[in-house]
Amino acid sequence: MEESRLTKTKEQWARARRGGEEREVFYEGDERLPPGQHLVENFPVLDLGVKPDIPLREWRLSIGGFVTTPVTWTWEQFTAQPHLTHRSDFHCVTSWSRYDNDWEGVTFKHIMAVVKPLSLARFVLFRSYDDYTTNLPLEACDDDDVLLARQWNGNPLSRDHGGPVRVIVPKRYAWKGAKWVKEITFSDKDEKGFWEVRGYSNTALPWNNDRYA
Ligand SMILES: Nc1nc2c(c(=O)[nH]1)N[C@H]1C(S)=C(S)[C@@H](COP(=O)(O)O)O[C@H]1N2
Ligand SMILES: [Mo]
């Protein structure tokens, strides 16, 4: 895939900040805003320069790897799963945060109940329709606020923001949430994703200002 200019710029930041001596800490004691973040009211769009267009009749979500019952859902099957709404704040590593996003979707906990990960499964890799990938430890996904979201603030999730379905992991920086998600793979190994191999933190914890590896 051709790398966009933004991708290259972000890679350079990661390289420059690695090592930590340049790390900025501007924590000002706002209890809701993680260190080094500023609040925005709009909702910026970030991607690799490609916004996949997936007609609902062609959309599939495959969940497999180290699980007892792998599944591939059509849109009808996905929407037949129990859905709920969860309000959360969104923190992008490029330093903006957006409060109070109402995400409606299927919980990761429900996914786990359906596919039943084997005890060997300790990591999860998400792959998207634009070939983006990102990885997380299973325990980070096994949380009540982790959703496969199909709605944002009461409306179907727009293509810009990852529709038909994207992943939301509120306790991590936003790059850990795959837009246009296509595959979820449970594994015994921690395979790094797109930004993780380019110098971004593997853990990505906003409250630790944990941006670069
Ligand atoms: N498939 C895919 N998911 C992705 C990305 C991407 O480029 N492709 N970018 C990530 C990054 S770096 C961020 S900050 C958020 C941005 O989500 P937004 O465009 O809805 O603000 O999506 C994340 N998920
Ligand atoms: Mo990002």
Side-chain angles (χ1 to χ4, degrees):
M1 186 198 315
E2 202 192 87
E3 299 199 359
S4 69
R5 229 178 51 203
L6 176 64
T7 304
K8 293 212 177 85
T9 308
K10 288 173 80 175
E11 254 187 279
Q12 281 161 6
W13 292 348
R15 232 176 277 128
R17 307 272 179 94
R18 200 181 281 158
E21 61 285 353
E22 278 189 65
R23 194 162 296 177
E24 294 152 85
V25 181
F26 18 86
Y27 186 53
E28 272 157 20
D30 181 330
E31 279 171 17
R32 192 163 172 193
L33 197 59
Q37 295 294 108
H38 69 277
L39 189 60
V40 298
E41 307 266 303
N42 61 328
F43 193 0
V45 173
L46 285 96
D47 54 54
L48 305 176
V50 186
K51 296 177 188 22
D53 187 8
I54 313 121
L56 293 184
R57 73 188 127 71
E58 285 166 29
W59 181 89
R60 297 287 183 280
L61 174 65
S62 296
I63 311 167
F66 281 52
V67 300
T68 309
T69 318
V71 295
T72 297
W73 282 331
T74 63
W75 180 252
E76 287 68 31
Q77 290 168 322
F78 176 76
T79 55
Q81 307 303 314
H83 282 66
L84 57 76
T85 301
H86 191 275
R87 176 168 293 188
S88 57
D89 298 344
F90 191 97
H91 308 296
C92 173
V93 72
T94 59
S95 89
W96 56 272
S97 294
R98 193 189 191 288
Y99 291 165
D100 291 330
N101 302 281
D102 286 325
W103 298 104
E104 187 256 25
V106 175
T107 61
F108 197 89
K109 289 206 180 263
H110 175 71
I111 302 276
M112 288 178 64
V114 171
V115 301
K116 297 186 270 306
L118 305 176
S119 55
L120 277 171
R122 291 182 44 234
F123 302 96
V124 182
L125 185 71
F126 299 89
R127 182 177 301 276
S128 299
Y129 280 91
D130 60 348
D131 282 333
Y132 182 84
T133 51
T134 190
N135 59 304
L136 279 168
L138 180 56
E139 66 262 25
C141 301
D142 186 8
D143 201 336
D144 291 323
D145 58 5
V146 176
L147 287 188
L148 275 74
R150 61 167 189 182
Q151 282 191 23
W152 176 73
N153 289 1
N155 292 304
L157 187 58
S158 67
R159 179 172 156 201
D160 275 359
H161 287 295
V165 178
R166 78 173 301 164
V167 183
I168 287 297
V169 188
K171 294 189 181 76
R172 308 281 164 144
Y173 285 118
W175 90 77
K176 291 289 184 181
K179 297 160 73 164
W180 312 290
V181 65
K182 176 169 84 168
E183 274 170 35
I184 303 176
T185 308
F186 292 79
S187 178
D188 60 339
K189 292 184 198 69
D190 193 14
E191 191 187 327
K192 287 182 178 174
F194 183 91
W195 286 117
E196 291 81 7
V197 300
R198 286 165 176 77
Y200 279 74
S201 160
N202 202 35
T203 37
L205 292 160
W207 292 98
N208 297 354
N209 209 359
D210 166 30
R211 298 167 196 266
Y212 308 105

